[in-house]
C-alpha cells in the first residue's frame, strides 16, 4: 500500500514519504494518522458550532489536542494506540454532535449542515480502518486542489499540531485557555471545508501563529509557575558511577514525578535531548540525584541509548525505532508510543507509577565509574536575560556587542546541518548567540567565552521555550526604542518537525523579516506560497555560513 506524508524536514527525496516514513512510520500507521486527523476535523466542526452557541465541549477540546499532538513526527508509531484514539475520537465527535443538536433545539436554531462529510464511522477492524484512512490522505487534497492550496492546508495543520504540543504540556500542568481551544476548533473546521483560496489560507496560517504565541505563553507560565524560573546553571555532561535513568522528550512533570519516586533509591537521573533545560529549573534541580545530561540530540539516541547502562524514559517526541540492545530498557509515556515498548500510563489525576522504569534501572549495570568531569552552562531563559538587560544594552551602546544571532530550532540527521555548527563557530567574538531547542547540540559544548561577563552563548531552553526567546527580543527592542526588525539581531532557524512550523508562523505573525531557514525548505510549501513568504517576509533559505554571515553583518 502507498502512503503520503511530507510533514517533516527529512521527508524522502525532499518531496514526500510514499513507501515508508524515513522516520520509521509504516504506511498502516500513516493511514490511521490521516483518519485520526479527519475524525478530529469532524469533532472540531461540531465543537466550533456548539461554542458559537456558548456550549463548550471539554472532551472535544482535549481529544482534538491529543489527536494533533499524537500525529507530530516521532511521537506515536503504534497503530493500536492510534486506532484507540480514532475510536475515542468518533465517540467524542458523536457526543459533541448531540450536544450541538440539543443546543440548536434549545435556542430555536436550525442545525447547520457540515461542510464536509465528517461522519465516517471507524470500523471495528483495524485493517478496515486503515482502508478508511487511505480515503482521506493528503495526496487526495493535493490532487484536487493543487500543491499550493493543499500545501497551505497542511501548513495550517502542522502549525496546529505544533501548537497542540504546547497546549498539551500546559494542560498537564493545569494551565488552559478557552480561547485557544476555540481557535483550534475554528481552524480545524475551516480545514474541513477544504478551502482553496490562497489568501484566506495564508491569513489563517498567520492566525495560527498569533494564537500559538498565546499557547507558548501558557506553557511558559505553566513551567515557570510550577518549577520556578530557569537560572544560570553549570551542568555536568559526563556520567557518574551508579545506577541510572535517562529521560528524553520534553515533559517537565514526568521528570518531576520520576525524581520524586527515585528519591533515596541510589539511582542517578540524567536528562537527554530536549530535557537538558530541565536542569536549570529550581524545583527540578533541587533533587540532588538529577546529576546531569547524557548524550546529545534525538537523532543520536540509537547509539547513545544502546551505550547507556540503565533505563530510558521517552516523555514526548522524538522517539526512533529502539535497537534490540535497549528495547527492554526503554519506556514510553504520555502520547509517545512504539509498538511493543512498555508504556507508563497516567491515572485519572495524571499521576504515573514509574516502578517498571525504576526496576529496569536497578536491574541494569549502571555506570561503573565517574567519567572525567565536563560541564556546560545553561538556563538563560527570559527572566535571567532580562535581569541583565541593562548590562546588555550598555554593551551594545559601547560597541562591545556588535550583533546578536538567534541560531535555534530542531536537529536532525542530515549532513547539511553542519551549517549550524560552522555558523556558530564563525560568529565573530564581539557577537552573542542565543539558542534554543535541540539544534544547539551542534555547538553547545564548544567554548564561546564571554563579553564583559555576558556569556557569548545563551541557551534559552527547549523548542517549547521559544516564547522566552521572543520575549528577550521584544524586551531588547523596547530598551532600544525600536522594532524587533531594527535590532542588531539575525534569526537563523533549523526546522525538523511541526513545533518548528508553529514557531515560524508566530514569528511571521509578529512581522519578523529576513529570517533564514534550513537545512532545506518545507516540501509542503508550494512555489506560489514561497513567493508570498519571500515577498512579504524576505524569508530566505540558508546558503553557506560565510555568505550568510557576511550578509547578516553587513
Ligand atoms: Fe516522512 Fe517525516 Fe512523515 Fe515520517 S513524519 S513519514 S519522515 S515526512
Ligand atoms: Fe528537537 Fe524533536 Fe524539534 Fe524540541 S527533540 S526541537 S526535533
Amino acid at each position: 500500500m502507498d502512503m503520503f506524508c511530507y510533514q517533516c524536514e527529512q521527508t524522502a527525496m525532499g518531496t514526500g514519504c510514499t513507501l515508508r516514513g524515513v522516520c520509521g512510520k509504516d504506511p498502516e500507521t500513516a493511514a490511521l494518522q490521516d483518519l485520526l486527523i479527519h475524525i478530529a476535523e469532524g469533532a472540531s466542526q461540531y465543537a466550533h458550532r456548539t461554542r458559537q452557541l456558548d456550549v463548550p465541549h471539554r472532551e472535544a477540546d482535549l481529544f482534538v489536542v491529543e489527536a494533533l499532538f499524537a500525529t507530530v513526527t516521532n511521537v506515536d508509531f503504534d497503530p493500536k494506540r492510534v486506532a484507540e484514539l480514532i475510536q475515542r475520537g468518533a465517540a467524542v465527535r458523536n457526543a459533541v454532535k448531540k450536544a450541538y443538536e440539543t443546543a440548536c433545539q434549545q435556542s430555536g436554531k436550525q442545525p447547520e449542515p457540515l461542510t464536509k462529510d465528517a461522519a465516517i464511522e471507524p470500523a471495528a477492524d483495524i485493517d478496515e480502518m486503515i482502508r478508511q484512512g487511505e480515503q482521506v490522505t493528503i495526496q487526495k487534497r493535493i490532487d484536487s486542489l493543487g500543491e499550493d492550496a493543499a500545501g497551505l492546508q497542511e501548513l495550517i495543520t502542522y502549525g496546529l499540531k505544533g501548537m497542540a504540543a504546547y497546549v498539551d504540556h500546559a494542560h498537564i500542568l493545569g494551565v488552559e485557555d478557552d480561547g485557544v481551544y476555540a481557535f483550534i476548533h475554528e481552524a480545524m473546521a475551516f480545514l474541513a471545508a477544504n478551502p482553496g483560496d490562497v489568501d484566506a489560507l495564508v491569513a489563517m496560517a498567520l492566525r495560527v501563529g498569533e494564537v500559538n504565541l498565546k499557547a507558548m505563553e501558557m506553557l511558559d507560565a505553566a513551567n515557570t509557575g510550577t518549577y520556578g524560573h530557569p537560572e544560570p546553571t553549570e551542568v555536568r555532561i559526563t556520567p557518574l558511577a551508579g545506577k541510572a535513568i535517562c529521560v528524553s522528550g520534553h515533559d517537565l512533570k514526568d521528570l518531576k514525578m520520576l525524581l520524586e519516586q527515585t528519591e533515596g533509591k541510589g539511582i542517578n537521573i540524567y536528562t537527554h535531548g530536549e530535557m537538558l533545560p530541565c536542569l536549570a529549573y529550581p524545583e527540578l534541580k533541587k533533587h540532588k540525584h538529577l546529576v546531569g545530561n547524557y548524550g546529545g540530540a534525538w537523532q543520536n539516541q540509537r547509539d547513545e541509548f544502546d551505550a547507556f547502562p540503565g533505563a530510558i524514559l521517552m516523555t514526548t517526541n522524538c522517539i526512533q525505532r529502539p535497537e534490540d540492545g535497549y528495547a527492554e530498557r526503554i519506556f514510553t509515556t504520555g502520547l509517545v508510543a512504539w509498538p511493543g515498548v512498555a508504556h507508563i500510563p497516567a491515572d485519572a489525576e495524571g499521576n504515573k507509577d514509574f516502578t517498571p522504569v525504576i526496576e529496569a534501572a536497578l536491574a541494569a549495570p549502571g555506570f561503573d565509574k565517574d567519567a572525567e568531569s565536563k560541564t556546560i552552562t545553561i538556563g538563560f531563559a527570559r527572566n535571567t536575560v532580562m535581569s541583565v538587560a541593562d548590562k546588555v544594552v550598555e554593551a551594545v551602546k559601547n560597541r562591545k556587542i556588535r550583533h546578536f544571532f538567534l541560531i535555534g530550532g530542531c536537529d536532525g540527521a542530515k549532513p547539511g546541518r553542519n551549517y549550524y555548527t560552522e555558523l556558530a563557530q564563525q560568529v565573530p567574538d564581539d557577537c552573542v548567540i542565543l539558542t534554543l531547542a535541540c539544534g544547539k547540540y551542534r555547538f553547545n559544548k564548544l567554548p564561546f567565552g564571554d563579553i564583559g561577563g555576558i556569556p557569548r552563548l545563551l541557551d534559552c531552553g527547549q523548542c517549547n521555550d521559544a516564547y522566552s526567546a521572543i520575549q528577550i527580543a521584544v524586551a531588547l527592542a523596547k530598551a532600544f526604542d525600536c522594532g524587533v526588525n531594527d535590532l542588531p539581531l539575525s534569526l537563523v532557524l533549523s526546522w525538523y518537525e511541526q513545533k518548528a512550523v508553529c514557531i515560524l508562523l508566530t514569528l511571521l505573525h509578529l512581522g519578523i523579516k529576513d529570517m533564514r531557514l534550513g537545512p532545506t525548505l518545507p516540501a509542503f510549501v508550494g512555489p506560489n506560497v514561497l513567493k508570498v513568504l519571500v515577498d512579504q517576509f524576505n524569508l530566505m533559505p540558508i546558503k553557506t555560513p560565510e555568505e550568510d554571515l557576511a550578509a547578516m553583518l553587513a
Side-chain angles (χ1 to χ4, degrees), residues 50 53 55 95-108 111:
T50 58
L53 299 173
V55 184
V96 67
K97 176 175 188 269
K98 228 181 218 157
Y100 172 58
E101 287 164 355
T102 309
C104 282
Q105 255 173 12
Q106 284 168 351
S107 59

Side-chain angles (χ1 to χ4, degrees), residues 163 167 176-185 211 214-215 218:
M163 189 202 298
V167 175
E176 294 179 86
D177 184 280
D178 199 55
V180 171
Y181 289 129
F183 173 74
I184 292 174
H185 293 309
V211 179
K214 175 77 203 161
M218 277 159 53

